[in-house]
Amino acid sequence: MRARAARTGRLVAPAVLLVIATAVQVTPANAAPAAPARRHDVVTWGASADRVGDAVADRSYRLIVRTSVAGDNPRIRLSNAFGDRPLTFDSAYAGLREMGAELVPGTNRPLTFGGSRSVTIPAGATAYSDLLPGGLAAAADLVVSVHTRTGGGPATGHGMAMQTSYAATGDHTGEEGAAGWTERTGSWFYLDAVTVRTSAAVGAVVALGDSITDGWQSSGDLNRRWPDYLARRLAATDTPVKGVANEGISGNKVVADGAGQSALNRLDRDVLSHPGVRTVFLFEGVNDIKAHTGVTGADMIAGYREIIARAHRAGKCVVGATVAPFKGWSEWDTAAESVRQEVNRFIRSSGEFDAVTDFDRILRSPYDHERIMPVFDGGDRLHPNDKGMQAMADSVDLDSLRCDRTSTVDVP
């Protein structure tokens, strides 16, 4: 019964979990009680937060996200990180998608926050929902529906989702049908993480990056960003790392704010705050280089070193990825290429990362190492297409994502 639910991606009801537990707890009368399995929370989906227009009162959002690691007792995290005033959500639901904005019948269930159906999040803060009893499968299209009672000031979300979600005026969160969801949006509003509870042996990797990690030039609504391909590899492999959180922001830089806060300034919120993370996968730097703001190779290396040091202090490993070629992009020139080569030499040979993935080698043309290979080019000489995204994911050594630095808090 539970196995069928997992295959279809259904949220398993508490009653079903109870039936299963009763069925398997048959032991001899004189047997010693088994020690409870150690469990903890692991991020199964994440998206970096930024400003996305203005908060609108009496507004509903139906947000479609793809899970990575399976588990039970899911929670969502709502963010008002960029708001300038408290923001109230008076209704939130989670269910499984049938198609479009329509949900699988019987899966849409209300979420609570500290036992209440309503939550007010202060400016600059985030809030986790209470545990939602039941199971959540890997590779499920989870649908989170929220309604904002209040409005005004900057809204928080993720602008370039590469996934269609839905919006409406009024509160439609409890509806499983699609009729009330008359507007489409390419952004995720307010939702920035989903976690599940699973074995303490299971962990996650967070991809910290820019528009390539965010998925630009991959096929929309098909989950073909390189972290999506990586999640599929992890799911099919006997490895303890199963969760993947995509924390890319288009245009993002390592050392300077601009398109979102810099990787340095958002590291704690977008990466280190997620539960169950073993490894940070750092693939970022091309925007610092091509912007010609005077950032040097030494500046970039100092930024990488700070990220490594902070992640290590938090008990995480860091995999560094080389900066990919971009000759043919309008901002490319020999000076920028020189900085890219200097940065890549550091990533490859410094020994300061716990492991290295050489995306430059994978993506570059064999005839001109400063250019992306035409078969992988999404059309702008910078962003890989679907084939390039898959090649990137396929090049990651999955053993490099295992981390022996992690110190987790076990939950019985």
Side-chain angles (χ1 to χ4, degrees):
M1 189 171 182
R2 185 178 184 181
R4 185 178 67 182
R7 285 197 300 271
T8 59
R10 295 184 65 112
L11 282 163
V12 183
V16 175
L17 291 177
L18 179 61
V19 169
I20 294 171
T22 303
V24 299
Q25 291 175 354
V26 178
T27 57
N30 60 349
R38 297 195 305 167
R39 296 169 63 75
H40 69 169
D41 289 342
V42 174
V43 62
T44 189
W45 175 87
S48 45
D50 197 6
R51 296 174 178 85
V52 285
D54 294 327
V56 179
D58 193 26
R59 188 74 165 160
S60 290
Y61 297 95
R62 175 153 284 181
L63 309 166
I64 316 298
V65 303
R66 174 64 62 93
T67 63
S68 54
V69 59
D72 53 37
N73 295 320
R75 296 192 300 166
I76 70 166
R77 189 172 79 175
L78 297 179
S79 178
N80 191 24
F82 292 91
D84 62 5
R85 66 200 71 184
L87 183 65
T88 298
F89 297 87
D90 60 350
S91 182
Y93 279 74
L96 273 299
R97 184 167 72 148
E98 182 72 48
M99 60 180 298
E102 183 181 355
L103 304 188
V104 175
T107 65
N108 201 30
R109 297 163 60 195
L111 296 164
T112 59
F113 300 80
S116 172
R117 294 285 297 275
S118 176
V119 61
T120 298
I121 306 177
T126 61
Y128 272 105
S129 70
D130 299 329
L131 299 174
L132 183 65
L136 182 60
D141 280 344
L142 180 68
V143 181
V144 176
S145 304
V146 297
H147 178 254
T148 56
R149 177 186 297 170
T150 53
T156 298
H158 187 86
M160 195 179 77
M162 302 300 295
Q163 171 67 55
T164 301
S165 291
Y166 303 87
T169 300
D171 186 359
H172 298 272
T173 55
E175 301 171 6
E176 293 186 330
W181 298 94
T182 57
E183 303 173 42
R184 296 187 174 205
T185 176
S187 300
W188 289 305
F189 287 82
Y190 304 114
L191 178 69
D192 78 342
V194 179
T195 69
V196 293
R197 186 158 290 180
T198 186
S199 165
V202 175
V205 57
V206 176
L208 178 59
D210 50 39
S211 57
I212 299 178
T213 297
D214 216 4
W216 184 242
Q217 296 291 11
S218 68
S219 297
D221 292 322
L222 293 177
N223 299 296
R224 292 182 178 175
R225 315 163 192 85
W226 75 260
D228 298 323
Y229 284 111
L230 178 62
R232 288 191 274 273
R233 284 190 67 203
L234 291 170
T237 306
D238 184 17
T239 173
V241 179
K242 296 294 185 183
V244 178
N246 185 336
E247 300 293 338
I249 296 180
S250 180
N252 199 232
K253 299 184 177 93
V254 174
V255 300
D257 292 344
Q261 293 177 319
S262 70
L264 289 168
N265 287 335
R266 65 190 182 92
L267 180 66
D268 289 342
R269 182 190 63 244
D270 286 355
V271 180
L272 302 182
S273 70
H274 291 312
V277 174
R278 293 190 175 194
T279 301
V280 181
F281 194 106
L282 177 59
F283 173 47
E284 191 156 4
V286 69
N287 291 310
D288 300 76
I289 295 169
K290 69 183 182 60
H292 298 290
T293 58
V295 174
T296 66
D299 296 329
M300 299 285 298
I301 290 168
Y304 291 142
R305 282 176 167 152
E306 182 178 337
I307 290 172
I308 293 168
R310 287 166 59 189
H312 283 175
R313 285 196 297 269
K316 320 301 180 188
C317 290
V318 184
V319 176
T322 50
V323 180
F326 67 101
K327 187 176 183 179
W329 177 267
S330 60
E331 295 168 295
W332 183 93
D333 61 19
T334 55
E337 181 63 23
S338 177
V339 175
R340 187 179 77 91
Q341 294 295 344
E342 179 183 357
V343 166
N344 282 351
R345 282 193 297 271
F346 167 78
I347 294 171
R348 290 187 180 106
S349 63
S350 70
E352 297 189 36
F353 289 96
D354 297 284
V356 172
T357 296
D358 203 338
F359 282 161
D360 173 43
R361 182 181 62 83
I362 294 299
L363 294 174
R364 71 193 184 195
S365 167
Y367 307 107
D368 185 348
H369 287 184
E370 297 170 351
R371 292 182 181 272
I372 189 171
M373 192 182 303
V375 70
F376 292 152
D377 185 5
D380 60 13
R381 309 298 187 265
L382 172 62
H383 298 92
N385 56 19
D386 291 354
K387 289 182 179 179
M389 295 284 182
Q390 183 167 10
M392 292 168 67
D394 287 348
S395 73
V396 176
D397 178 1
L398 299 187
D399 285 339
S400 73
L401 304 181
R402 298 169 179 254
C403 182
D404 58 7
R405 296 178 183 270
T406 306
S407 175
T408 59
V409 177
D410 298 319
V411 180

